[in-house]
Amino acid sequence: MKKLFAVFPFALISFVMSCSTSPTEKPNPPAAQAIQLVEARDVHSFANPAQVRVKHVDLNLDVLFDRKVLKGSATLTIERRQADANELKLDTRDLKIFKAEISAKGDNFAATKFALGEADKILGAPLTVELPAQATKVRIEYETSPTASGVQWLQPAQTAGKQQPYVFTQSQAIHARSWIPLQDSPGVRVTYSATIRTPAGIRAVMSAEEEDGAPKLGEFQFNMPQAIPPYLIALAAGDIMFKPLGKRTGVYTEPAMMEKAAKELEDTEKMVEATEKLYGPYRWGRYDILVLPPSFPYGGMENPRLTFATPTILAGDKSLVSLIAHELAHSWSGNLVTNATWRDFWLNEGFTTYLERRIVEAVYGRDTEEMQAVLGRQTLEALLAKFDTRDQILHVNLDGRDPDDGSTEVPYEKGALLLRYLEETVGRDKFDQFLKSYFDAFAFQSITTPDFRAYLQKNLLDTNPQAAAKVSAELLDEWMEKPGLPASAPKPQSNAFGKVEAQAKSWLSGKAAAGLETKQWTTQEWLHFLNSLPAHLNEAQMKDLDQAFGMTKTGNAEIAHVWLLISIRSNYAPAFPRLEEYLTTIGRQKLIRPLYEELAKTPAGKQRAKAIFAKARAGYHPIAQASVGKIVL
Ligand code: BES
Ligand code: ZN
């Protein structure tokens, strides 16, 4: 761990100017004020980008399903920041390194010395490569471990088609290093290219454009010409087909899932258009979505050009497609303007949650949006009530901690509320203009919380003195650097939820469930209904709800999640088989972890949790195996 705190000279400064690139309907905003970016130190990387910086990654990999291994090479194009730098430091985790070579011109490679340092539990192991003065490229031959933290290998039985195996990567936050040796820091942007070889019948896709010039059987070529942070490099391979949705949007998934997926996601093109209208052009060419098997450990992952999504969003009524709005929004907040270190994660997720709601409002209307905003604030309040103060802070200190620990919903919901507060204070027009100029000013750059704050001060507060009077430095400190929520934080309101609460009340005072007015309720209304009930219900109450609404057998994964939570608390045995089925098929951490936590609260529940985990474990992603293991073992 010592190495974490080694001090590097970080004096590199780049100058950021705004450039208005896009034709818009609105008049051009006043030129944005430039601010100086100070390169941040990333405590979650061993790399030395201040001396030598990786600029391009060229992958050449075989997908070996029988061994659960990716094997091949990564050729890194480097740039010297210090003329006398004589070593390149990379991040790795559980990689087997066979060889390191260097080249001056990119044609002839010669072996060079390398050393793999001692592995840190959180960070993995540094790989130091000796660099002669003339080296411009470094080629590493390597293979991954079958238990690589960023790669999940699925048996055919875990897929929809049950015939072919499947593999996918998940690089955020610091798992790219478990399948590629590179400088795994969000401040080190790279372009990348890849050649991926797969067995017959297996298609590979990546977060990049696919090169279609004379493809060889079982060989796929990709290119990502825009510089991205390494956590956005992604690969999946399996029995995957494609269907277009709009002129630059489409869906990839297994054949058995295609019809359902394409129907549910049919508004994707509209979402892209709505976001462009708000925040300027979509700069990544195509926007496609890969719908994965259910063991995908997240709801969605904003891999550029190709969002990865859980099949649990396919509710049948589009009520969960705000997740697509969210991942799409990252094409501006996150992929275009990126958190420079993981303590700035809220710049990615808070902005994106705010944008997500704006997109939902534009495409599905304010009522739908406000329901989601109310649920968001409820989630936030529940977390603030139970978290240590350190985890309530947006600009969170993650020294010595795993950045995955910082990915609670606090940065999402508290960050989104801060932006909503700013919007309400300066007015929507001005705030929209400000955000658009922010995305232009920092496009393809990685920035820190102080960078954002400096930009906000110069380009929104200094230019709007009336509003600025309300947004003092103390208040901004309270939002970004302190636990809890400022008293002036916005409180979203939903009329629809008022009606839902009335139904919950009349049920609790004795009205039969079958007589409640629940027609046309969307997922959000059902969630709010269930959340409005007392923590424990009696057997008769559980039965009444179950018989009237088919709760235990609902195919909606979000509603089932809340129902199963209540069932555990209320010890409602008829739901237990479903609970086991749910936990052994779904791998999305946000849906399974709270269920294990609830089970673990009683000795009998903990036994059940252990037994279910023993069956489910092999089907979980390595990250989920570890996080659930912490709860039940
Ligand atoms: N980038 C995140 C997923 C992530 C965060 C992966 C941190 C690894 C570490 C993604 O954009 C996200 O936020 N997904 C959410 C869905 C969203 C609608 C809140 C999820 O997976 O639940
Ligand atoms: Zn996100």
Side-chain angles (χ1 to χ4, degrees):
M1 277 314 246
K2 288 191 286 322
K3 295 196 188 79
L4 247 177
F5 305 100
V7 182
F8 296 111
F10 281 91
L12 291 166
I13 285 174
S14 60
F15 214 52
V16 175
M17 303 288 289
S18 91
C19 45
S20 3
T21 44
S22 62
T24 59
E25 288 134 46
K26 291 184 187 160
N28 269 342
Q33 292 292 307
I35 65 143
Q36 285 187 335
L37 287 185
V38 180
E39 214 150 276
R41 189 167 79 87
D42 181 358
V43 299
H44 295 110
S45 171
F46 288 116
N48 61 339
Q51 283 88 44
V52 186
R53 183 168 281 247
V54 175
K55 301 300 285 182
H56 181 81
V57 178
D58 181 41
L59 296 171
N60 193 320
L61 294 174
D62 283 300
V63 180
L64 304 177
F65 282 103
D66 49 347
R67 292 181 55 219
K68 299 188 179 170
V69 156
L70 299 172
K71 180 179 167 68
S73 66
T75 306
L76 312 175
T77 306
I78 56 171
E79 181 183 282
R80 273 164 217 273
R81 293 280 175 103
Q82 279 176 8
D84 59 350
N86 56 11
E87 60 182 34
L88 170 67
K89 278 189 131 195
L90 303 173
D91 293 295
T92 72
R93 192 205 308 279
D94 298 332
L95 295 181
K96 221 185 249 173
I97 308 293
F98 301 120
K99 208 197 252 178
E101 297 165 304
I102 52 100
S103 166
K105 297 210 179 78
D107 40 11
N108 295 320
F109 280 81
T112 188
K113 279 196 189 137
F114 68 92
L116 202 52
E118 204 185 305
D120 174 87
K121 250 188 93 193
I122 296 171
L123 304 179
L127 174 64
T128 307
V129 180
E130 228 178 74
L131 275 191
Q134 75 282 12
T136 62
K137 285 186 197 268
V138 173
R139 182 163 73 197
I140 313 284
E141 277 184 30
Y142 71 100
E143 70 177 38
T144 60
S145 154
T147 56
S149 62
V151 187
Q152 187 175 8
W153 299 88
L154 303 184
Q155 303 295 337
Q158 288 175 275
T159 67
K162 316 272 181 228
Q163 302 300 312
Q164 301 277 17
Y166 200 106
V167 65
F168 65 85
T169 65
Q170 165 58 44
S171 297
Q172 197 180 13
I174 54 170
H175 304 287
R177 64 190 64 177
S178 77
W179 66 285
I180 310 171
L182 43 52
Q183 293 183 316
D184 194 9
S185 171
V188 184
R189 308 182 79 97
V190 293
T191 52
Y192 83 88
S193 48
T195 300
I196 307 291
R197 278 171 301 276
T198 59
I202 302 284
R203 178 171 189 172
V205 292
M206 290 193 87
S207 55
E209 48 193 40
E210 189 178 343
E211 309 261 318
D212 50 12
K216 271 198 239 154
L217 207 61
E219 186 170 298
F220 301 84
Q221 305 262 349
F222 301 94
N223 187 39
M224 170 44 82
Q226 287 119 324
I228 56 165
Y231 73 83
L232 294 176
I233 305 180
L235 165 71
D239 182 10
I240 295 168
M241 67 180 280
F242 175 75
K243 188 173 179 196
L245 293 170
K247 64 181 196 304
R248 58 187 158 163
T249 51
V251 56
Y252 289 91
T253 193
E254 288 186 70
M257 301 289 291
M258 183 52 90
E259 200 185 318
K260 196 173 176 199
K263 184 83 192 91
E264 197 84 11
L265 304 176
E266 67 186 1
D267 297 333
T268 304
E269 189 83 30
K270 262 193 243 165
M271 287 189 185
V272 181
E273 282 161 11
T275 322
E276 286 189 305
K277 220 166 139 195
L278 285 166
Y279 304 115
Y282 178 76
R283 306 196 202 205
W284 306 89
R286 295 196 52 84
Y287 180 74
D288 296 319
I289 299 161
L290 172 67
V291 177
L292 287 124
S295 66
F296 186 58
Y298 292 98
M301 178 62 212
E302 67 271 26
N303 298 316
R305 301 178 64 101
L306 184 62
T307 281
F308 282 24
T310 169
T312 63
I313 58 164
L314 308 178
D317 63 356
K318 299 186 190 167
S319 58
L320 299 175
V321 296
S322 57
L323 182 132
I324 300 301
H326 179 99
E327 305 313 334
L328 169 66
H330 274 306
S331 308
W332 286 259
S333 46
N335 300 3
L336 194 58
V337 181
T338 307
N339 53 210
T341 75
W342 296 114
R343 73 175 303 192
D344 308 303
F345 183 61
W346 78 276
L347 292 180
N348 277 17
E349 299 300 344
F351 277 60
T352 295
T353 303
Y354 172 83
L355 263 61
E356 166 198 333
R357 304 233 162 99
R358 294 295 304 274
I359 299 167
V360 168
E361 179 179 334
V363 179
Y364 299 103
R366 178 82 175 172
D367 288 352
T368 302
E369 181 279 331
E370 280 297 89
M371 285 195 256
Q372 300 182 5
V374 170
L375 287 173
R377 173 144 184 164
Q378 283 172 359
T379 306
L380 178 60
E381 283 174 13
L383 293 182
L384 294 179
K386 76 171 192 191
F387 279 174
D388 282 1
T389 51
R390 64 173 188 178
D391 289 325
Q392 302 181 18
I393 296 169
L394 284 181
H395 191 212
V396 56
N397 183 350
L398 292 172
D399 286 10
R401 298 177 71 191
D402 186 331
D404 284 345
D405 292 349
S407 68
T408 73
E409 280 166 284
V410 169
Y412 292 71
E413 297 298 343
K414 189 172 171 183
L417 270 190
L418 165 56
L419 295 201
R420 182 169 167 143
Y421 172 75
L422 293 171
E423 180 207 308
E424 288 176 358
T425 307
V426 300
R428 190 169 262 200
D429 279 354
K430 281 203 175 118
F431 192 64
D432 285 357
Q433 220 171 68
F434 164 76
L435 271 188
K436 197 165 174 208
S437 82
Y438 164 83
F439 294 132
D440 274 342
F442 296 115
F444 299 107
Q445 311 226 34
S446 302
I447 71 165
T448 63
T449 301
D451 294 333
F452 165 65
R453 206 164 149 171
Y455 189 83
L456 172 72
Q457 192 61 46
K458 274 198 176 165
N459 293 286
L460 192 68
L461 303 180
D462 291 355
T463 54
N464 293 284
Q466 266 184 332
K470 291 190 212 156
V471 191
S472 62
E474 292 73 42
L475 183 65
L476 288 175
D477 271 341
E478 215 185 320
W479 274 105
M480 297 182 204
E481 310 288 348
K482 303 243 162 80
L485 257 189
S488 55
K491 288 200 179 75
Q493 302 291 337
S494 158
N495 294 332
F497 278 0
K499 293 185 193 154
V500 170
E501 285 155 28
Q503 294 303 307
K505 222 172 139 190
S506 68
W507 181 67
L508 285 169
S509 55
K511 186 167 180 178
L516 298 179
E517 284 159 37
T518 62
K519 241 186 262 148
Q520 311 278 318
W521 274 8
T522 60
T523 303
Q524 287 71 33
E525 285 155 307
W526 280 111
L527 294 179
H528 189 64
F529 176 76
L530 294 172
N531 286 332
S532 306
L533 304 178
H536 296 263
L537 296 177
N538 64 38
E539 176 91 18
Q541 288 175 314
M542 292 298 288
K543 277 217 170 93
D544 187 34
L545 290 178
D546 209 2
Q547 273 161 14
F549 307 124
M551 287 294 182
T552 299
K553 58 178 197 288
T554 175
N556 183 310
E558 299 261 359
I559 297 173
H561 169 81
V562 178
W563 175 250
L564 291 171
L565 272 180
I566 301 175
S567 299
I568 298 168
R569 280 195 227 113
S570 309
N571 201 24
Y572 178 60
F576 291 166
R578 177 74 210 277
L579 174 65
E580 177 162 336
E581 187 233 5
Y582 190 93
L583 291 173
T584 47
T585 48
I586 296 178
R588 182 178 176 189
Q589 295 179 94
K590 195 185 126 191
L591 295 179
I592 61 172
R593 269 162 45 179
L595 293 170
Y596 280 109
E597 277 163 5
E598 196 61 50
L599 281 170
K601 284 181 185 166
T602 65
K606 189 145 188 177
Q607 277 316 108
R608 174 169 291 126
K610 279 188 183 178
I612 297 177
F613 183 52
K615 285 189 205 164
R617 191 178 177 281
Y620 289 163
H621 188 282
I623 301 171
Q625 289 185 2
S627 68
V628 174
K630 273 190 206 157
I631 299 167
V632 303
L633 299 180

